[in-house]
Amino acid sequence: MPVSFEYTDDGLEEVILTGKGVSPGLAFSKIYVNARGFSAPDIYAIKPSQVESELETFSRAVAVTKKQLEGIRETVSDISGDEESQIFDAHIILLEDHVLHEKVEAMLKERLVNISYCFYAVIQSYMEALRRAQDSYLAERATDLEDIAMRLLDNLLIMGEKAPTVDHEHVLVSFDLTPSDTVSMDQQKMRGFATEQGSYTSHTAILARSLGIPAVVGIENAVMDVVGLANCILDGTRGLLIMNPSRETVDKYKVLWAAEEELQIRLRSEANLKSETVDGRHIILSANVEFSHEIELLKSNGADGIGLYRTEFYLLDDDDVPCEEEQAALYAKVVKEVSPGMTIFRTLDSGGDKMSGEVLLQPEPNPFLGRRGIRFSLAKPEIFKVQLRALLRATAYGKVGIMFPMISLISEIETAKALLQECHAELVAEGVQVSDDYQVGIMVEIPSAALLAGAMAKVVDFFSIGTNDLVQYTTAVDRVNELVSDLYRPADPGVLRLMKMTVEAGEQNGIWTGVCGEMASDIELLPLLIGLGVEELSVGVNKVPLVKSAIRKLNYQECREMVQEALLQSKAQDIRALSHALAKKAYPIILNHVTGNE
Ligand code: PEP
Ligand code: MG
């Protein structure tokens, strides 16, 4: 990543904004502010050939908004009666007003600019007219319009429009980002991002780490406090956004940058060494992959295979889920590239903070506890079976694992496996080449799965502990809610016990257990995971050299003894401290580097 640190004397005062670093690294660039809400959306040109798809996006956003308004109307009607809920009927009528739609369409065709801007411009002119009428009833209708407009604009931005293109390198500052915003950003130009919302295990932060760009979240009033185009340093390691950096700050960061480069070069040069502890305990070290281009880095970074392929980022990238042929081609290509290593594909994990148009059509009051992961797949067997058939076709090309997300009941595994067998039989009958030699596993990320691990271990080939969700569901702390982020503690004693139960159930039933949540790349907690006896770790592809270097300095027996002590603790901070002490003894330099202690 080319970063040039040059001080510019623009006479402006340095401003330091503090948040939480969720993706390490440094960026030196210009600020680009993306303010959401009912302010003018970015305006950009579209091609005549895009008119149809913009109109389609608009219709879908109207449909979603209508559904949301109907939902609200029903709730209001249950609570306050029909009269109160009638206001939402009026909103729906406004939303579907054909004159409004015609005006938006006319502007789109005439000006050839993005649909959200056209909608914004038309609705603004309506609101102006209402406000000018100097009639309190009509003025109130302007507020109604604003309400509907904000909702529709949000839906347009979430589901249809690609993020605005910015033609200069920048650090993006925004209130929040969805995973799809992050994916559709111009990755060549975006050097990093800083947001007011977000957390370490939100999928946006995970994506930033897999893209290898720094990110800082939880900066209060970031959007208000920064100025577009100002110079800045984004420090994803220490959680800082420094606007108009002074000469001293720039000089300091030049030194930090050089140290970072040096460490990365050293870690990469050791990447192909064995992943084993000083006393010979081998740990399979795999990579988490969201984008197929990350596979190029897999071997040079020394990963044994892919421990978690998050297929949802591929499947939900476009409006339509890719067909079986297309999916089979991608999966086969991945398997061949990763061979002789194994590729573990996780089946679609939609929902939570990873929304698709389809999920959005049925808004859920609490999406993380809703029809997420395997629940969605089992409710939509026609989509699920396409993916299962495509995955089975990839088994002909190398080692494949098929992993089900969000398992909370044994019956979910049974049903999913039955569908898998059905697909296998169909493919064999059709004469399509498939292998019998593949593994079926589950994510252990819900407490009920960990508590039932003994029974579940009898029907699967492996467990992969998803700590991101296991922490969320065990401690009832929303993984993406900034307000409770200090309560989100991977070293929680309850979580530790559930992980121990899972590993032991695996050992007793002769299956392996790995960890693929973000905890696996937290080198402060690595001694804890090694000591628990996990056999595999799967981490962001950029983190593989770092984690391997740390594993190679740990002593397995010492880690095991430390875990015995950790299990006696009742506070997350005491467990973390025990693990930290071993990490510090084994690899003080890289630990300091990661935690930003100079
Ligand atoms: C997890 O929950 O730990 C996990 C790896 O899955 P995701 O982050 O995609 O929910
Ligand atoms: Mg998960």
Side-chain angles (χ1 to χ4, degrees), residues 203 310 346 349 354 372 405-406 443 445 466-470 473 479:
H203 285 95
R310 287 184 165 99
R346 179 174 72 183
D349 184 15
K354 292 171 287 195
R372 197 191 148 186
M406 276 289 282
M443 299 277 302
E445 52 186 347
T467 50
N468 304 340
D469 280 313
L470 189 61
Y473 295 128
R479 63 191 267 188

Side-chain angles (χ1 to χ4, degrees), residues 470-471 474-475 487 489-501 519 528 532 563 565-576:
L470 189 61
V471 174
T474 305
T475 58
L487 293 175
R489 296 175 187 163
D492 176 83
V495 173
L496 182 64
R497 282 166 179 69
L498 290 173
M499 290 176 73
K500 180 169 182 280
M501 288 175 77
M519 188 175 176
L528 205 61
L532 274 170
V563 166
E565 213 184 321
L567 284 164
L568 301 174
Q569 309 303 315
S570 50
K571 288 186 183 149
Q573 63 265 41
D574 295 338
I575 296 173
R576 187 173 274 274

Side-chain angles (χ1 to χ4, degrees), residues 102-119:
E102 279 162 19
K103 286 194 170 174
V104 173
E105 186 172 338
M107 180 171 174
L108 178 79
K109 288 181 174 157
E110 195 181 311
R111 299 239 346 239
L112 288 178
V113 292
N114 51 318
I115 190 81
S116 61
Y117 187 80
C118 297
F119 171 69

